[in-house]
Amino acid sequence: MLSTVKTPSTFSLNKVPEVTLLFWLIKMMSTTVGETAADFLNMNMGWGLTNTSLFTGLLFVVVLFFQMRSDRYIPVLYWSTVLLISVFGTLVTDNLTDHFGVPLALSTGVFAVLLMIVFGVWYSKEGTLSIHSIITPKREAFYWLAILITFSLGTAAGDWAAEGLDLGYLNAATMFGTMILMTTISYYALRADGVLCFWIVYILTRPFGASCGDLLSQPSANGGMGLGTTGTSVLFLLAIVSLIGYLTYRVKIEALEAESR
């Protein structure tokens, strides 16, 4: 049986799940929920942007604390962190736009630069940006910081494309989806660097998911399909919960098989 004892400086197992089709499905649905859930709490529930940001920010910090304290990949804990960081990352951009009047184009550029800085410092300290080696607290801290910025960057880029450039939600989703497809083809057909392709797709799935969320939830007068933020959030949350339940079951089965060897 594999040991799961944690030392002060290292974990015994990688803290990030294997990158499979299920990984990308849950991630993209999480980005959609991040967009619609933030709108639901802010507008439908009448909490306002500030209260919504404080509430989700507190939840995110609590869940991240337990995620950082765990010594292995736990599907429920990991994906709860991703879901909350998606909502909070969305709200970071929304606050800059609505409260401080920062143009979406500027937010997109600033977050892109911040992400490059984080990647640069991360690589200089650890010598890798691979998610297959998140085996120390320092690497995990860099990982979650990068993830947070990708969500804020993706929100800004998605809103800028759909609204600022007047592409509309469908065209924006198509554009980002095409970029994801091109990156995937580059990886499988042209043997492009796997770490680079992973982070490119991770960044692009945020505006793609946000555009899809807006397309589904916004009224037809705004270029959407009119499902509403409640319907869209519930639909994708049910799908996410189902997939996480399956992953949790699979992890337990694999642990039992490893113990029996």
Side-chain angles (χ1 to χ4, degrees):
M1 180 178 178
L2 292 174
S3 171
T4 56
V5 178
K6 182 175 70 174
T7 68
S9 60
T10 63
F11 305 113
S12 57
L13 299 173
N14 191 41
K15 298 286 295 293
V16 176
E18 182 183 357
V19 180
T20 62
L21 178 60
L22 287 182
F23 176 94
W24 290 117
L25 285 175
I26 300 175
K27 198 276 179 179
M28 283 191 284
M29 286 189 289
S30 297
T31 66
T32 304
V33 171
E35 184 76 12
T36 57
D39 291 341
F40 174 76
L41 294 175
N42 179 20
M43 295 180 284
N44 294 57
M45 295 293 290
W47 286 16
L49 193 55
T50 300
N51 290 334
T52 300
S53 302
L54 291 174
F55 174 73
T56 56
L58 178 60
L59 277 182
F60 165 57
V61 169
V62 170
V63 174
L64 180 62
F65 171 80
F66 287 106
Q67 165 64 26
M68 294 286 291
R69 290 289 299 169
S70 68
D71 56 12
R72 64 191 186 281
Y73 163 60
I74 302 173
V76 172
L77 190 55
Y78 174 86
W79 288 110
S80 294
T81 308
V82 171
L83 186 60
L84 286 168
I85 206 171
S86 172
V87 179
F88 186 68
T90 296
L91 290 167
V92 169
T93 297
D94 289 346
N95 274 281
L96 289 174
T97 303
D98 296 345
H99 281 172
F100 300 99
V102 179
L104 289 168
L106 179 59
S107 297
T108 300
V110 169
F111 284 128
V113 171
L114 285 176
L115 185 60
M116 292 302 103
I117 292 173
V118 170
F119 281 150
V121 175
W122 181 359
Y123 190 81
S124 69
K125 297 291 185 180
E126 300 297 319
T128 180
L129 300 178
S130 173
I131 67 161
H132 301 299
S133 60
I134 307 300
I135 54 176
T136 67
K138 182 185 291 186
R139 289 185 184 182
E140 188 176 15
F142 277 123
Y143 174 78
W144 288 116
L145 179 58
I147 296 299
L148 174 60
I149 297 175
T150 65
F151 278 113
S152 296
L153 169 60
T155 300
D159 289 347
W160 180 35
E163 301 169 13
L165 299 179
D166 202 27
L167 292 179
Y169 303 122
L170 179 58
N171 289 335
T174 301
M175 180 183 72
F176 290 117
T178 300
M179 294 169 71
I180 291 171
L181 178 60
M182 292 174 61
T183 305
T184 304
I185 292 174
S186 296
Y187 173 69
Y188 284 105
L190 304 179
R191 305 297 181 184
D193 183 75
V195 174
L196 176 62
C197 288
F198 170 84
W199 283 112
I200 291 174
V201 172
Y202 204 99
I203 294 168
L204 290 173
T205 48
R206 180 61 187 92
F208 176 72
S211 298
C212 289
D214 286 331
L215 177 65
L216 292 170
S217 64
Q218 293 297 319
S220 55
N222 294 341
M225 298 176 65
L227 292 181
T229 55
T230 303
T232 304
S233 297
V234 170
L235 177 65
F236 281 88
L237 272 175
L238 288 174
I240 290 171
V241 169
S242 298
L243 291 176
I244 292 175
Y246 168 73
L247 290 175
T248 301
Y249 168 77
R250 208 173 74 179
V251 167
K252 289 182 178 179
I253 294 298
E254 291 173 353
L256 290 174
E257 291 176 348
E259 187 175 359
S260 64
R261 293 193 188 107

